[in-house]
Amino acid sequence: DVKVTQSSRYLVKRTGEKVFLECVQDMDHENMFWYRQDPGLGLRLIYFSYDVKMKEKGDIPEGYSVSREKKERFSLILESASTNQTSMYLCASSSLGREQKETQYFGPGTRLLVL
Amino acid sequence: AQKVTQAQTEISVVEKEDVTLDCVYETRDTTYYLFWYKQPPSGELVFLIRRNSFDEQNEISGRYSWNFQKSTSSFNFTITASQVVDSAVYFCALSDVMDSNYQLIWGAGTKLIIKP
């Protein structure tokens, strides 16, 4: 089974803090993604990465950065957290393999509250 | 441009009823993939099915079935004899070869409530 884990299920931070959200997958997937999910707005892609040290902006990258130093790990960084970044953050991974291409597998999500 | 429409925001049925969740997509590509995911209250998105554009056969998996119709650009999901555990938000998504670049285009989701 594909396993994607996220470092925290719930997180409370203060405005202005630097926040790290970690995601690890154990299936040797090439692609990894960070989404945020808000009521009424659905899933929105923040950043994705298709290889180590590679990153691509998604639809809403402002206020975020990412790091992919190892294939299995993809970190989302909020340089200076703001209240409008309170959200559910979902990490996903997918393989370039022929049979499973484009199928994204998700972690359990991190509910972040910024006060 | 690609688009996925799930017109039903919320559906509520009584347990054991059959229910169909609609998904309509738009793409200019001839090669594409369609997906359904389930998001229970715990929050994790669970992959249910992946279908490629060249395979129009309907799929059945237990109480779940999917009806793919290219003529109407629809990929509908039916739950037969619904159960309370089916209560969740269900998302339909699209990925095509031409524009997606490994990304999924998501529908807004349909919240399904199964009442005992």
Side-chain angles (χ1 to χ4, degrees):
Chain A
D1 276 354
V2 177
K3 189 72 172 177
V4 180
T5 56
Q6 294 182 228
S7 48
S8 306
R9 291 299 301 269
Y10 301 94
L11 211 50
V12 180
K13 295 292 181 181
R14 297 274 178 201
T15 301
E17 278 192 75
K18 190 169 187 175
V19 181
F20 293 87
L21 302 182
E22 303 283 340
C23 176
V24 177
Q25 50 93 4
D26 67 356
M27 287 304 293
D28 203 36
H29 283 175
E30 291 79 9
N31 305 323
M32 296 188 75
F33 306 82
W34 275 107
Y35 293 89
R36 65 177 282 178
Q37 185 179 22
D38 302 287
L41 296 177
L43 280 102
R44 294 181 291 168
L45 182 65
I46 305 171
Y47 268 97
F48 67 101
S49 167
Y50 52 87
D51 201 352
V52 176
K53 297 193 186 296
M54 304 299 288
K55 61 183 179 184
E56 294 279 347
K57 292 180 180 178
D59 300 319
I60 51 164
E62 297 78 21
Y64 303 94
S65 62
V66 291
S67 172
R68 190 148 181 221
E69 296 296 319
K70 293 184 178 181
K71 190 176 185 181
E72 68 271 17
R73 188 180 297 269
F74 192 35
S75 303
L76 180 70
I77 304 154
L78 288 63
E79 294 290 342
S80 177
S82 63
T83 54
N84 63 14
Q85 292 178 310
T86 291
S87 186
M88 170 73 140
Y89 290 88
L90 291 158
C91 175
S93 71
S94 71
S95 170
L96 285 177
R98 187 171 62 89
E99 292 301 316
Q100 294 298 323
K101 190 176 180 181
E102 288 101 10
T103 300
Q104 294 184 17
Y105 297 92
F106 284 80
T110 296
R111 296 185 190 272
L112 173 66
L113 172 62
V114 182
L115 299 172
Chain B
Q2 318 107 304
K3 187 178 179 183
V4 175
T5 302
Q6 294 180 258
Q8 303 149 310
T9 305
E10 184 173 305
I11 301 174
S12 181
V13 301
V14 177
E15 201 173 19
K16 295 192 177 62
E17 285 185 24
D18 298 348
V19 58
T20 295
L21 309 182
D22 297 332
C23 174
V24 174
Y25 62 91
E26 294 175 31
T27 176
R28 62 191 176 116
D29 209 342
T30 56
T31 302
Y32 52 89
Y33 304 87
L34 295 162
F35 303 81
W36 276 96
Y37 285 82
K38 174 183 180 180
Q39 187 177 39
S42 59
E44 182 173 352
L45 273 157
V46 178
F47 166 70
L48 295 178
I49 189 170
R50 170 183 181 268
R51 182 55 103 211
N52 75 57
S53 52
F54 300 110
D55 182 1
E56 287 194 71
Q57 272 197 320
N58 290 334
E59 175 100 6
I60 298 175
S61 176
R63 296 183 297 106
Y64 294 174
S65 62
W66 290 269
N67 184 351
F68 177 29
Q69 296 209 345
K70 286 176 84 168
S71 59
T72 55
S73 297
S74 66
F75 186 44
N76 296 338
F77 173 31
T78 297
I79 301 175
T80 304
S82 60
Q83 299 177 3
V84 172
V85 293
D86 296 326
S87 296
V89 180
Y90 290 87
F91 290 93
C92 181
L94 162 74
S95 176
D96 61 28
V97 175
M98 195 180 296
D99 292 326
S100 280
N101 192 21
Y102 309 118
Q103 297 181 48
L104 291 179
I105 307 302
W106 295 87
T110 297
K111 184 175 183 179
L112 178 63
I113 300 168
I114 310 296
K115 295 181 283 191

